[in-house]
Amino acid sequence: MSGPRADKLPHASSKAAVLDAIRAAGTISRVGLISVTGFTAPTISNLVRKLIDEGLVVETGHAESTGGKRRVLLRLNHTSRYAVGVCLGQGVMTYVLTDLTGVVVARISRPGVGAEAPATVVSRIAAEIPTLVDSVGVDRARLVGVGLVFPGPLTGRGVAGLNPELRHWREFPLGAALEQATDLPVVLDNDATAAALGEHWAGGFGTASAAAALYMGSGLGAGLVIDGITYRGPSGNAGELGHVCVDADGPRCWCGARGCVEAVAGPAAVVAAGRADAGLAGALGLTTGTGPAAVARDFAAIGRAARRGQRRALALCERSARYVAAAARTLANVMDLEVIVLTGPGFAVAGSVYLPVLRQELHTVFSRSAHAVDVRLSRSAATASAVGAAALVLESELVPFHRGLRVSESLDGEFAPLTGSAR
């Protein structure tokens, strides 16, 4: 069966489409590429030859014989390119280096941004990246770029419009400053969207055509991948699950609305309820800190206690899970989702408590007569956003889409050379 018409493919170039098809398949023959992309045999032959010449693709053995000549299989050359992903958090910053397939080859954690000036943080990130890369002996010339993700929405200018604790970043030109400091392409996004892309890149969504990553960090968010493309919306703010209303008369959220699931049942709400329980607070050593780092520590303490079966901690997490599940069901109904992956540092700690509650709630989705919604835990929940940040770079620099972020290609569709800044 033939694939889609080549002129209908969403990629920004034919080479990007072929490279992405090889990535998605793991291993595939040239005949398989013809079927997947709809390109002609001469076109596939020409594009594959270019990808091999550039070191992005290698031949790797043969497929099983079907009676004729055995077909040569192709796969990505995983060591040909690398990307850095950075998750900018107030309590901790996570750095990862991934190869071309999105596999993490190095990882470090450093203190978060706290109240530091944005320019100081940028200088710190720029100094840490060479340390990360050099720790595993990777040639810096093979770096594709840096993905930087953060908690909170984007603004129309593409700078970080973050949560209340980081408002001093709002007008700072984060991407431009980091590009200048590192002399590398930089792509920005929010943590939930990056986590969704990371799941897609690593195969966490399987073959689902509509999937979401529910991300629990300092708040709640969701990243959406529809037909293999990360959906961001016209302003980059699609998937703000934390601001779905679950109680019209509920508490005021920092966004200005009432009854948002984040205000009712997000990590800060769980921690506030835990601190209000003197017995639980004393038993778990909960603090009185108000910043995201303190909230993250206390939520982790409550989540660990809930996993151990501590009754009051378990009740707090299960109450939160019911509200999160209601919001997730709304998202699944609106987007007709097939898969939902729970990810982020919050679910890394308490995901096993939330998972059964969400699975039960998602049994009632409107589409249940046509298909179920598979709810699962991420295999890399703790570092998902940083891994996704690196995948963001790999996608935008090597397999860009027509409406993507950065397209580092010349007009004839050739990838930019790995010399200088590669810009």
Side-chain angles (χ1 to χ4, degrees):
M1 184 172 66
S2 63
R5 282 178 52 186
D7 61 355
K8 297 299 183 182
L9 289 170
H11 298 84
S13 74
S14 56
K15 186 187 288 185
V18 171
L19 188 65
D20 201 25
I22 297 171
R23 178 202 64 78
T27 59
I28 191 171
S29 68
R30 289 168 176 81
V31 172
L33 288 172
I34 294 170
S35 176
V36 169
T37 65
F39 294 148
T40 65
T43 297
I44 288 296
S45 178
N46 182 50
L47 292 172
V48 167
R49 184 173 64 253
K50 288 182 178 179
L51 290 169
I52 290 174
D53 289 345
E54 293 173 17
L56 290 165
V57 169
V58 294
E59 295 181 336
T60 176
H62 296 79
E64 292 184 8
S65 175
T66 57
K69 183 178 179 181
R70 296 173 66 195
R71 295 169 182 170
V72 176
L73 294 175
L74 306 163
R75 66 165 174 81
L76 296 186
N77 179 4
H78 61 96
T79 61
S80 64
R81 304 290 191 275
Y82 294 85
V84 173
V86 183
C87 181
L88 184 154
Q90 196 166 31
V92 64
M93 284 200 293
T94 303
Y95 299 73
V96 299
L97 178 71
T98 74
D99 64 21
L100 183 56
T101 63
V103 172
V104 175
V105 297
R107 179 179 68 186
I108 57 175
S109 295
R110 293 293 184 264
V113 301
E116 282 185 297
T120 302
V121 175
V122 167
S123 297
R124 188 149 62 92
I125 293 172
E128 293 289 3
I129 288 174
T131 300
L132 174 73
V133 176
D134 293 346
S135 69
V136 286
V138 168
D139 183 354
R140 296 184 198 176
R142 293 183 180 272
L143 283 184
V144 176
V146 179
L148 180 63
V149 301
F150 41 83
L154 301 170
T155 70
R157 294 175 54 210
V159 299
L162 300 173
N163 61 34
E165 290 78 11
L166 296 173
R167 280 180 176 155
H168 59 292
W169 286 74
R170 189 175 298 277
E171 298 302 320
F172 183 73
L174 181 56
L178 190 57
E179 281 198 344
Q180 184 174 11
T182 61
D183 199 30
L184 287 166
V186 172
V187 183
L188 304 179
D189 217 322
N190 68 58
D191 46 15
T193 299
L197 177 60
E199 290 291 338
H200 169 62
W201 196 272
F205 292 142
T207 59
S209 60
L214 265 57
Y215 187 90
M216 182 184 285
S218 57
L220 291 164
L224 301 168
V225 175
I226 309 299
D227 289 331
I229 300 175
T230 308
Y231 179 72
R232 295 176 171 85
S235 65
N237 292 305
E240 284 294 338
L241 184 79
H243 302 286
V244 171
C245 179
V246 291
D247 183 355
D249 298 318
R252 182 78 66 181
C253 179
W254 65 265
C255 75
R258 283 194 177 276
C260 295
V261 64
E262 187 170 305
V264 173
V270 173
V271 166
R275 290 171 176 172
D277 182 334
L280 182 65
L284 300 183
L286 304 184
T287 66
T288 58
T290 58
V295 169
R297 285 194 301 269
D298 284 1
F299 181 81
I302 294 171
R304 287 191 294 267
R307 290 204 323 262
R308 294 193 302 268
Q310 208 280 356
R311 181 175 55 83
R312 285 180 287 185
L314 183 60
L316 288 178
C317 288
E318 287 182 338
R319 177 185 181 276
S320 168
R322 289 193 294 272
Y323 282 108
V324 173
R329 178 167 54 84
T330 297
L331 183 65
N333 282 336
V334 171
M335 300 303 298
D336 194 16
L337 298 177
E338 298 168 284
V339 173
I340 293 177
V341 175
L342 308 184
T343 191
F347 286 130
V349 173
S352 61
V353 178
Y354 282 74
L355 182 63
V357 180
L358 267 81
R359 281 179 170 168
Q360 181 176 4
E361 182 70 22
L362 269 295
H363 279 313
T364 65
V365 294
F366 189 79
S367 63
R368 61 188 179 275
S369 61
H371 64 80
V373 179
D374 182 3
V375 185
R376 59 184 77 155
L377 285 174
S378 171
R379 295 188 296 266
S380 57
T383 58
S385 56
V387 174
L392 184 72
V393 177
L394 295 172
E395 180 189 77
S396 61
E397 292 293 320
L398 297 178
V399 290
F401 297 96
H402 285 301
R403 297 187 65 184
L405 297 175
R406 174 191 300 277
V407 180
S408 183
E409 299 186 44
S410 61
L411 294 177
D412 63 358
E414 297 299 319
F415 289 113
L418 287 174
T419 56
S421 66
R423 278 187 267 178

